[in-house]
Amino acid sequence: MKQFENKPCWQTIATPQFLQIITALQDAKTNGRTKMLIGSTGVGKTYAINKFFTKFPDNTYVITVSDVYKLEDIIEELCEKIGLRMYTLTAKMASKSKKFRVDKICEKLIEIKSNGDKPILIFDECENMNMSVLKNIKGLYDKLKDNCSIVLIGTTRLIDRMLNINGKKQGRNRDSLPELYGRFKAGLRYIIPVTVEQFNPFLDKYVSDKALRKFICNTLESYRDLNTHLEPVMQEAFENNKPLTETLYKLYHEINY
């Protein structure tokens, strides 16, 4: 039985993926680098971003891109993040073009840089970016080069979209942005895939039941899977003073095999 002296909570473990992402973000912020971090779902991208932001909140701006986001949503959130409240600037702002607002965003970030600070824009889940947003990222890059780090983080679908890989396979004349890919290519890093062996630091910390360890390794594939499946069972074991076993795990998740 794994005993918890205090209420258990999921703690940060320096996995290879976590270290790779944090190192890339630190390099981007410290040295003004452009990065594009590509990894499969569940490797801990968003978790690492959140930890980085917690440690370096000053002039770190994180945008998590939803698949319903349009360009206007990105611009509005950027304005909010950097403290550029458009309605305080001019009454005519509402009628101005997207370009005008993007220019104001860039002016603000360049001002931050000129004051000796190190701004960084981190866009998470970039595979959800539509073509208009990707084109705007290209514009941001061109305007902010050497003044603000830009990091794109997502799955391989982001590169597919930039290079129109699926469109080429289907013989379609679809939009692509190879020039955007070229701007980020030098900073492209593929995040190390997760192996079940890399679960061991978490299992060593939380799970002593050998049957449960084996079952987890045979059924889960990512850190996200491990966290979402194991943490609530840990809480269940703690709150009801029960051993953290394969039986409890299967009972909680209603698994019958």
Side-chain angles (χ1 to χ4, degrees):
M1 175 180 177
K2 198 75 171 181
Q3 296 289 343
F4 300 105
E5 294 181 2
N6 300 303
K7 187 175 182 179
C9 63
W10 203 257
Q11 298 180 11
T12 300
I13 290 179
T15 66
Q17 296 78 13
F18 179 84
L19 292 175
Q20 186 181 14
I21 297 167
I22 291 295
T23 299
L25 293 176
Q26 288 177 334
D27 181 45
K29 186 168 178 67
T30 301
N31 299 306
R33 312 282 189 197
T34 296
K35 301 286 184 183
M36 181 161 58
L37 309 181
I38 302 297
S40 59
T41 59
V43 300
K45 300 187 295 293
T46 300
Y47 183 87
I49 293 169
N50 291 337
K51 289 296 179 181
F52 179 83
F53 176 78
T54 299
K55 188 171 183 180
F56 304 102
D58 292 342
N59 304 305
T60 296
Y61 310 105
V62 180
I63 306 291
T64 301
V65 183
S66 164
D67 57 4
V68 299
Y69 266 36
K70 297 179 181 179
L71 178 55
E72 292 82 355
D73 300 313
I74 297 289
I75 293 174
E76 182 178 348
E77 188 163 344
L78 276 173
C79 290
E80 181 181 346
K81 294 281 186 180
I82 68 174
L84 188 62
R85 299 188 178 185
M86 294 307 201
Y87 62 83
T88 64
L89 297 179
T90 171
K92 297 180 180 180
M93 184 62 70
S95 64
K96 295 296 184 179
S97 67
K98 298 182 185 71
K99 179 181 180 302
F100 184 90
R101 287 178 286 164
V102 170
D103 286 346
K104 288 296 181 182
I105 290 169
C106 292
E107 287 174 12
K108 178 68 173 180
L109 292 169
I110 291 170
E111 178 186 345
I112 291 171
K113 173 69 172 180
S114 66
N115 289 334
D117 294 314
K118 296 179 179 180
I120 179 172
L121 298 178
I122 302 173
F123 294 92
D124 190 19
E125 300 187 14
C126 290
E127 67 273 12
N128 293 322
M129 287 182 171
N130 59 39
M131 192 54 61
S132 66
V133 174
L134 289 173
K135 289 178 179 178
N136 193 62
I137 296 297
K138 176 179 173 293
L140 285 174
Y141 175 93
D142 292 340
K143 291 177 181 294
L144 293 173
K145 191 174 185 298
D146 300 324
N147 287 288
C148 178
S149 307
I150 301 178
V151 181
L152 306 182
I153 303 180
T155 67
T156 54
R157 286 198 295 126
L158 172 60
I159 295 180
D160 292 349
R161 186 160 295 179
M162 284 183 179
L163 300 180
N164 195 19
I165 290 175
N166 293 332
K168 289 178 180 178
K169 288 180 179 179
Q170 297 169 13
R172 297 175 182 173
N173 183 20
R174 295 171 54 188
D175 286 339
S176 64
L177 277 175
E179 61 272 28
L180 177 60
Y181 175 81
R183 284 163 169 77
F184 283 85
K185 185 177 181 180
L188 173 60
R189 300 292 183 270
Y190 286 95
I191 301 168
I192 303 165
V194 176
T195 65
V196 293
E197 290 78 16
Q198 291 166 353
F199 287 173
N200 286 335
F202 296 94
L203 299 180
D204 290 344
K205 189 174 187 65
Y206 300 123
V207 182
S208 59
D209 184 74
K210 293 182 179 179
L212 177 55
R213 291 172 66 105
K214 182 177 180 180
F215 185 80
I216 285 174
C217 289
N218 287 338
T219 56
L220 305 183
E221 298 180 347
S222 72
Y223 295 132
R224 178 182 297 164
D225 282 347
L226 183 63
N227 172 251
T228 57
H229 282 76
L230 183 57
E231 186 175 22
V233 185
M234 291 164 50
Q235 299 292 341
E236 177 78 7
F238 173 81
E239 291 170 4
N240 294 283
N241 195 28
K242 294 179 179 179
L244 182 57
T245 63
E246 181 187 26
T247 300
L248 179 64
Y249 180 93
K250 288 184 174 181
L251 181 65
Y252 182 90
H253 290 294
E254 300 180 0
I255 296 172
N256 299 317
Y257 56 90

